């Protein structure tokens, strides 16, 4: 069974640029959630995708957008990067049922905005 | 609003000793899940233990156990026989049906040899 993978591992961008982060979900998982973890903080929920549709969003501006593909992999896009966007971006995949399932996290992408 | 509070930013424990990490949460829901995640320097978030709110029995996973007090909205993690590999950031987290996880700010645990 393949776990959650993310690419790239590290990324350095300049303020105002755009960035795309990628996540491959664990085999069989149809839901992907994205989180932003600022230095020294707990992860903050950005949004979730279920079967290619956005299924919940946290308190993040519209310049944070995403996609989920038919194979359930996902992208996080951030436009007009700001210095405060520097963080570790985590994705997590799951297979929700009425009883709930754990979210399995990837190793994250460290984004630095200069 | 749903919130998770971890009041201990850092803790230290001697190897082989027992340590308890504290967590309180606020919710109006009756059906939810609580978790403790471990994040070592490798950054991978690892699930340590989970507790369903409808279960009265405290969850246990080997050296890790919780003290779940639903009325007090308290969910502490006890680590017995601490090992050097337990050193990490520990996050208390909460989730309702929609699968969004709300995390606390974390407690950094140091293990002293």
């Amino acid at each position: 069974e393949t776990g959650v993978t993310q690419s790239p591992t590290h990324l350095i961008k300049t303020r105002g640029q755009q960035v795309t982060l990628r996540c491959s979900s664990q085999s069989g998982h149809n839901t992907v959630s994205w989180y932003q973890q600022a230095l020294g903080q707990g992860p903050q929920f950005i949004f979730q995708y279920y079967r290619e549709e956005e299924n919940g969003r946290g308190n993040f501006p519209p310049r944070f957008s995403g996609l989920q593909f038919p194979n359930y992999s996902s992208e996080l896009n951030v436009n007009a990067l700001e210095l405060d966007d520097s963080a570790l971006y985590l994705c997590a995949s799951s297979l929700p049922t009425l009883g709930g399932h754990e979210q399995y996290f990837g190793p994250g992408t460290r984004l630095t905005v200069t | 609003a749903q919130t998770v509070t971890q009041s201990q930013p850092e803790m230290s424990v001697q190897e082989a000793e027992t340590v308890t990490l504290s967590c309180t949460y606020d919710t109006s829901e009756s059906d939810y899940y609580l978790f403790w995640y471990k994040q070592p320097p490798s950054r991978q978030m690892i699930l340590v233990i989970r507790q369903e709110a409808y279960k009265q029995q405290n969850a246990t996973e080997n050296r890790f156990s919780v003290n779940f007090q639903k009325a007090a909205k308290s969910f502490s993690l006890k680590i017995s026989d601490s090992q050097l590999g337990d050193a990490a950031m520990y996050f208390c987290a909460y989730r309702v049906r929609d699968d969004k996880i709300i995390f606390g700010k974390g407690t950094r645990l140091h293990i002293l040899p």
Side-chain angles (χ1 to χ4, degrees), chain A residues 47-78:
Chain A
F47 45 55
Q48 180 184 90
Y49 277 82
Y50 170 67
R51 292 187 174 181
E52 303 179 57
E53 297 287 333
E54 187 177 290
N55 181 42
R57 188 179 183 93
N59 189 26
F60 281 81
R63 58 190 187 83
F64 285 78
S65 63
L67 282 174
Q68 188 178 31
F69 300 99
N71 67 355
Y72 302 133
S73 65
S74 177
E75 287 182 355
L76 164 65
N77 298 291
V78 187

Side-chain angles (χ1 to χ4, degrees), chain A residues 56-112:
Chain A
R57 188 179 183 93
N59 189 26
F60 281 81
R63 58 190 187 83
F64 285 78
S65 63
L67 282 174
Q68 188 178 31
F69 300 99
N71 67 355
Y72 302 133
S73 65
S74 177
E75 287 182 355
L76 164 65
N77 298 291
V78 187
N79 294 323
L81 283 166
E82 301 178 359
L83 296 179
D84 285 347
D85 295 334
S86 295
L88 179 67
Y89 288 84
L90 298 167
C91 80
S93 73
S94 59
L95 184 62
T97 66
L98 288 177
H101 273 261
E102 285 80 12
Q103 295 192 359
Y104 294 84
F105 284 83
T109 293
R110 171 76 64 190
L111 172 65
T112 302

